[in-house]
Amino acid sequence: MSAEEILDVVDENDRVIGQAPRGEVYARGLIHRCVFIRVRDAKGRTFVHRRTATKLSYPSLYDMFVGGVVGAGESYDEAALREAEEELGVSGLPRPEPVLTFLFDGGAEGKWWSAVYEVRWDLPVDPQVEEVAWHAFLTDEELTERLGDWEWVPDGMAAYERLREHGGG
C-alpha cells in the first residue's frame, strides 16, 4: 500500500470528517479505519502470520488477523473482503461476518477504528510475499501457547482480547 493512498479521516465517533493520504494520516496521527479478519479453516484453526520486515507498521511482528486500512469511500465490509482476499492470495472468499468494532489507541502509533470480522476458508492459501513472511493455521491451544512467546502486533492483540471478551475466543 502506498503512502499516497487516500483514506477517510474520522472522529472519535467514527464519523468521516475529511480525507488525507495514508502517509499524512500516519504522520499526523489522524484517526482512520481498519479491518481485522480472523480466518479459520475447516478444523477450526486460526490463520497466523508474521508480517514482513518492510511493513509500514509493526514490521516482523506476528498477527492472528489479516486486514488493513479502509480506503476513502470504502465500507468496512468491502475492505474486509478485499483485504482478506489480498493477504490470503485467494479469490471467491465468502463475505467475512462482522463481529465487533472498537477504537484502538496505540499511543504514539495513533488511533484507528477497528472492525473485527470472522470468515472460514477451507482451501489452500497463497499469501502475498510483500505482506506475509511466514504463516500457518494454529489450533486455539497452539495460539494460546505462543501468546507469551512471540511478539504480536498491538492492535491485533487488542482485537483478539476484545473478541475473547465478546465470546469469540
Side-chain angles (χ1 to χ4, degrees):
M1 290 292 170
S2 162
E4 299 305 312
E5 176 186 14
I6 303 298
L7 306 181
D8 285 334
V9 176
V10 298
D11 65 15
E12 298 264 347
N13 296 306
D14 199 17
R15 292 184 300 238
V16 176
I17 58 171
Q19 295 180 333
R22 181 179 184 156
E24 180 182 339
V25 167
Y26 283 25
R28 293 180 49 205
L30 302 173
I31 302 173
H32 56 289
R33 294 172 169 164
C34 291
V35 291
F36 298 78
I37 306 96
R38 179 165 63 176
V39 181
R40 291 193 183 256
D41 67 6
K43 296 178 182 173
R45 299 176 301 179
T46 300
F47 179 83
V48 175
H49 67 283
R50 187 169 50 80
R51 298 162 63 88
T52 59
T54 57
K55 293 289 286 181
L56 187 56
S57 60
Y58 309 126
S60 299
L61 299 188
Y62 288 89
D63 201 349
M64 70 277 294
F65 297 93
V66 296
V69 297
V70 178
E74 187 177 35
S75 72
Y76 283 113
D77 290 351
E78 292 166 336
L81 180 59
R82 175 184 54 76
E83 286 284 349
E85 286 190 334
E86 284 177 6
E87 281 196 42
L88 295 171
V90 303
S91 60
L93 188 75
R95 184 165 294 281
E97 295 292 325
V99 180
L100 59 93
T101 59
F102 68 98
L103 180 60
F104 175 76
D105 187 345
E109 294 286 331
K111 291 182 182 180
W112 45 90
W113 276 97
S114 305
V116 181
Y117 289 77
E118 292 186 323
V119 69
R120 181 173 156 167
W121 183 251
D122 298 336
L123 298 174
V125 297
D126 185 22
Q128 286 183 312
V129 295
E130 304 83 20
E131 303 268 339
V132 177
W134 169 91
H135 72 279
F137 281 91
L138 301 181
T139 65
D140 290 342
E141 295 77 23
E142 291 169 328
L143 179 57
T144 300
E145 287 173 11
R146 286 159 177 83
L147 288 178
D149 295 337
W150 293 354
E151 190 173 2
W152 299 88
V153 296
D155 55 354
M157 279 302 299
Y160 177 74
E161 289 165 2
R162 290 223 157 89
L163 194 57
R164 289 183 62 187
E165 291 168 6
H166 190 264

